[in-house]
Amino acid sequence: MAIAMREVRVRKDQLEPDMILAKDMVFDDGRVLIKEGTLLTKEDIQKIRSYNAEYINIAKHHVVAEDQDRAVSTKKIVTSDGVEFDIEVNEEKEPEIIETISRAFEGKKTPSEFEALKVENDPKFIEFSRKHSAIEAKIKKHIIAISQGGEIVVDELYDMPNSIVTDMDIKGDLFAYLNGLQMRADHTFSHSVNVAILCNLFAYWLGYKEEEVVEITLAGILHDIGKLKIDEKILNKPTKLTADEFEMIKKHTIFGYNMVEYKPLSRNIKNAILMHHKRPDDDDSYPFGVSYNNVSNYAKIVAICDIYDAMTGERPYRKKHSPFEVIHYLERDSLGVLDTRFLFVFLSKISNSLINSWVKLSNGDDAKIIYINSNNLSRPIVRTTKNQYFNLSERKDINILDLL
């Protein structure tokens, strides 16, 4: 294996004014965030910190060479069979990263061995699916009862999605397992379970205290409770909604808030139910007439989990998107829309949890995720069943269609 130094970068949380940008910062669609040669201001640095990249190219004379936590190198890895990859590493993590990549190149497998490792053939996924269905049925009863004025049994509601998370030996498998679930007839309730699971795990990632994790999980369960007041024909309509139907859908946040307004729930949970569709500077977000300044962190967390699960789940009116398609969408279109303090933690954790997952590529190949590119989370390095390797951040002609 040959390795050659190419360039130096700086961690974005240690950028300082008057550093010089050594390379354009460009979105996937070609838009330039900040141009090469820019003398960075505080405002530029704030923009960069909202950008989904851990390390930024800075003119070399600004980098302290001895500070290896601060400086990172792009190194070329060449495998024994001639495959080349450019991988960003710092000195401390370099051996671990190179070992991870190298290990993926060893021990070629036959197609039948690859087939046996897919999620759909995993006994743990089969058990996960069974448990998810049972919990969905129980949560449905709770949500319907609450919508009709019943009590909120906090411990029971929290324990159901939390048990799914705690029962997972490898928490990262959750995303592949959720992706493998089939669309339910009552997708509102399966969606509520999924959002609760995502909120639970996300809250732990963000370092919230135990009691806050409970509340954020409950907010995920109850965020769409207001949809019980909307005609199922509208919710399950397989064609585009009319303007009047869409206006009715928008009211579900107010309906939901009204259902829990006088319940013994924290203000933050109620805020999440009311405000999880509110966006800054967006006249189409709702509820109307409410300032984005009133949106709680719980609502911002639920918003991210809600969008992710809605897009990765199949609906009567559209096919589901793969997790990597959704990561790409959120990387590209969510600056200034979702809170990037939370969003990029979520995207980074999800994408890295999908290492070793199997995917279907647009060229027809089945492949395994072997490495996540930190500056392009939705375009990983993959290894196919034909033992070919593609760095999708360079191979723009190949896309991930779905997890297998």
Side-chain angles (χ1 to χ4, degrees), residues 17 33 70 114 136 144 164 198-199 237 244 253 256 269 274 380:
L33 178 66
R70 181 169 178 168
F114 279 103
E136 179 187 329
I144 290 174
I164 288 182
L198 293 171
C199 284
K237 188 177 179 180
D244 287 344
T253 57
I269 294 176
L274 179 65

Side-chain angles (χ1 to χ4, degrees), residues 140-373:
K140 178 179 178 179
K141 290 181 180 179
H142 277 272
I143 291 177
I144 290 174
I146 294 166
S147 73
Q148 295 173 346
E151 293 184 5
I152 298 175
V153 186
V154 170
D155 289 345
E156 285 185 30
L157 277 174
Y158 170 71
D159 285 344
M160 286 184 277
N162 183 62
S163 68
I164 288 182
V165 176
T166 55
D167 284 353
M168 297 289 295
D169 295 330
I170 302 174
K171 299 295 187 285
D173 286 345
L174 271 172
F175 299 97
Y177 287 4
L178 288 173
N179 185 76
L181 294 173
Q182 298 299 311
M183 183 179 73
R184 316 285 198 199
D186 288 333
H187 62 80
T188 295
F189 299 104
S190 60
H191 174 62
S192 296
V193 175
N194 294 348
V195 172
I197 291 169
L198 293 171
C199 284
N200 180 281
L201 190 56
F202 194 8
Y204 278 116
W205 286 341
L206 292 169
Y208 277 98
K209 297 176 183 177
E210 184 67 32
E211 60 269 24
E212 294 170 318
V213 174
V214 172
E215 291 195 337
I216 293 168
T217 305
L218 286 175
I221 292 173
L222 298 173
H223 79 287
D224 272 350
I225 189 172
K227 287 186 176 178
L228 270 66
K229 286 185 67 68
I230 297 174
D231 191 329
E232 288 186 7
K233 292 180 181 178
I234 295 177
L235 295 175
N236 298 321
K237 188 177 179 180
T239 56
K240 185 177 180 180
L241 296 175
T242 66
D244 287 344
E245 288 168 338
F246 188 46
E247 287 304 313
M248 178 57 69
I249 289 285
K250 288 180 179 180
K251 293 179 181 178
H252 80 273
T253 57
I254 296 174
F255 292 155
Y257 179 80
N258 290 339
M259 289 175 184
V260 302
E261 184 177 7
Y262 299 108
K263 299 290 186 184
L265 294 173
S266 75
R267 180 181 301 177
N268 282 328
I269 294 176
K270 295 174 184 178
N271 182 279
I273 293 169
L274 179 65
M275 304 289 278
H276 64 276
H277 283 287
K278 191 67 180 177
R279 307 288 183 260
D281 303 321
D282 184 352
D283 294 336
D284 291 329
S285 70
Y286 50 94
F288 300 114
V290 181
S291 170
Y292 184 75
N293 293 331
N294 295 324
V295 178
S296 68
N297 285 342
Y298 287 14
K300 294 173 182 178
I301 290 168
V302 170
I304 293 169
C305 297
D306 180 38
I307 292 173
Y308 177 84
D309 186 69
M311 293 186 69
T312 54
E314 192 168 346
R315 294 293 183 265
Y317 47 87
R318 61 154 174 79
K319 297 291 186 182
K320 68 181 181 181
H321 299 281
S322 79
F324 285 100
E325 287 180 292
V326 178
I327 291 168
H328 174 69
Y329 165 79
L330 292 172
E331 283 181 306
R332 182 191 63 197
D333 292 341
S334 292
L335 286 179
V337 177
L338 298 171
D339 193 318
T340 51
R341 293 174 304 159
F342 301 138
L343 178 64
F344 292 144
V345 172
F346 186 75
L347 296 182
S348 178
K349 290 286 189 179
I350 288 178
S351 55
N352 279 282
S353 78
L354 292 171
I355 291 174
N356 294 324
S357 293
W358 292 94
V359 296
K360 171 67 73 176
L361 301 180
S362 59
N363 67 353
D365 287 339
D366 292 351
K368 183 179 182 179
I369 306 295
I370 61 173
Y371 186 81
I372 299 297
N373 291 301

Side-chain angles (χ1 to χ4, degrees), residues 71-75 87-91 93-94 97-98 371:
V72 66
S73 306
T74 299
K75 297 196 174 185
I87 303 295
E88 294 181 351
V89 297
N90 60 34
E91 184 173 314
K93 294 186 177 181
E94 179 181 325
I97 292 173
I98 292 177
Y371 186 81

Side-chain angles (χ1 to χ4, degrees), residues 125-135 181 184:
F125 167 70
I126 295 170
E127 173 59 21
F128 171 88
S129 182
R130 184 204 61 77
K131 183 172 183 178
H132 187 284
S133 295
I135 286 176
L181 294 173
R184 316 285 198 199

